Structure formats: structure tokens, C-alpha cells
Amino acid sequence: MITKEMVNKLNQQLNLEFFSANLYLQMSAWCNHKGLKGANLFFKKQSMAEMNHMYRMFDYLNDMSMMPVVGSIEAPSVCFLSLTELITHAYEHEQTITYKINNLVHSAITLQDYSTFHFLQWYIAEQREEEQIFKSIIDKLTIVNVDTNGLFLIDQDLKNMSNVNIIDH
Ligand code: FEO
């Protein structure tokens, strides 16, 4: 039995996943605008992955005979000073999402909702992976000289990373 409290919390997360999808879609547009075609592709794929995160939650609520509720989604940032600032923003966003998922897991345990607890395990692993991905990009940006060819190399690298099928994630 899933409680109303848990349903509300899952719906909040569902909308946060929507926001993540919009944030990364907007980031892909910024990258494209700056001529960073690889980064554009990478963030477009990330946006699709976030939609999948949202759909998983949507389907779980339906499966539990509860109503998923799509609310109004806050508009994401449009302007960034550099690719480094953008990636750092994305990394910090993922850290926030991890915190939110952890809170959901805590609520599921506290409410003795072990079905939801089990459902959320996938998100725990996913957050670990996503944080690692963004941290690895930040590390690479620190190593290269972004004022010269470094930015080109990073963009190529992001293009290669976007070829990995992350839609199922
Ligand atoms: Fe749905 Fe990137 O967390």
C-alpha cells in the first residue's frame, strides 16, 4: 500500500525529472549556438534520458493505481559563461537530484513502503553513474587548455560519449 504522502513525493520527483530534461535540452541549444556540436548531441541525449526517468516514475504511479500529476515546470537557465560553467551547473544539478532521491528512499523506508523502496534502487545506481559522468567531464576540462584546441577535443569527446545508448538509462 502506497501512502498519499509517498505519492506526493514521487510526483514532485516526476516533475523534477521533467525539469532536468528541459534543463539539458536548453543546454544542448546553448552548446549548438556556440558551435559545440558534440556537446549539443551529448546534452540532447541526456535530455532524452531524463524523460525516461520521468516516464519510469509516471508508469510506477500508474501501476500502483495512483495518479501521476504533471505540474508547471520552472524554466531552466538559458545563458552560461562557458562550457565549464555549464558542465559544473549540470554536475551540481545531479548532486541535488541525488540528494532528492536519497530523501525519497529515506521516506520509503520510514513509511515501510518496500515496493517504492525497491523501485527507487534503479535511481540510486543511475545517480551514481550520472554524477560520475559529469565529474569526469569537469576533470577533463581541468586538464586541457580550453583557450586553444582543448575545447575542440572536449567537444569531440562529448560527441563520442553521446554515441553510447543512454536512452534506456
Ligand atoms: Fe534524472 Fe539526471 O537525474
Side-chain angles (χ1 to χ4, degrees):
M1 166 73 185
I2 187 165
T3 62
K4 204 168 167 31
E5 182 183 345
M6 198 70 230
V7 171
N8 288 341
K9 286 176 189 286
L10 289 171
N11 266 320
Q12 281 172 18
Q13 188 63 36
L14 182 154
N15 282 278
L16 212 49
E17 300 294 345
F18 240 128
F19 173 78
S20 300
N22 289 348
L23 175 66
Y24 294 153
L25 192 64
Q26 190 63 62
M27 284 179 167
S28 81
W30 185 91
C31 292
N32 191 57
H33 192 64
K34 298 292 177 186
L36 300 165
K37 302 292 182 189
N40 165 46
L41 219 53
F42 172 81
F43 274 103
K44 232 169 164 178
K45 286 275 182 82
Q46 288 294 329
S47 174
M48 287 189 262
E50 295 299 343
M51 283 305 283
N52 184 49
H53 299 177
M54 185 282 295
Y55 280 125
R56 273 179 181 261
M57 233 153 243
F58 189 92
D59 291 343
Y60 178 70
L61 287 165
N62 273 334
D63 290 347
M64 299 299 284
S65 303
M66 293 294 162
M67 175 78 87
V69 179
V70 178
S72 55
I73 318 292
E74 188 190 336
S77 303
V78 178
C79 297
F80 301 94
L81 293 173
S82 63
L83 183 65
T84 301
E85 196 213 13
L86 182 149
I87 298 284
T88 304
H89 186 92
Y91 178 54
E92 288 171 356
H93 177 69
E94 287 302 333
Q95 288 179 312
T96 302
I97 299 297
T98 299
Y99 174 77
K100 300 278 186 188
I101 294 291
N102 288 346
N103 279 348
L104 278 177
V105 172
H106 181 74
S107 296
I109 294 172
T110 308
L111 295 166
Q112 296 189 314
D113 181 348
Y114 297 112
S115 172
T116 302
F117 174 75
H118 177 258
F119 166 72
L120 290 169
Q121 300 308 300
W122 182 88
Y123 287 87
I124 294 173
E126 181 67 5
Q127 282 312 118
R128 188 167 56 233
E129 191 181 314
E130 296 211 323
E131 280 198 35
Q132 276 175 357
I133 289 171
F134 284 110
K135 178 67 169 58
S136 76
I137 304 168
I138 290 173
D139 289 345
K140 287 174 203 168
L141 280 162
T142 309
I143 294 167
V144 301
N145 185 348
V146 289
D147 294 328
T148 56
N149 292 343
L151 200 54
F152 178 76
L153 292 174
I154 294 288
D155 194 48
Q156 286 296 110
D157 194 48
L158 287 170
K159 184 181 177 185
N160 294 338
M161 287 169 80
S162 73
N163 287 332
V164 179
N165 186 12
I166 57 172
I167 308 305
D168 293 336
H169 287 208

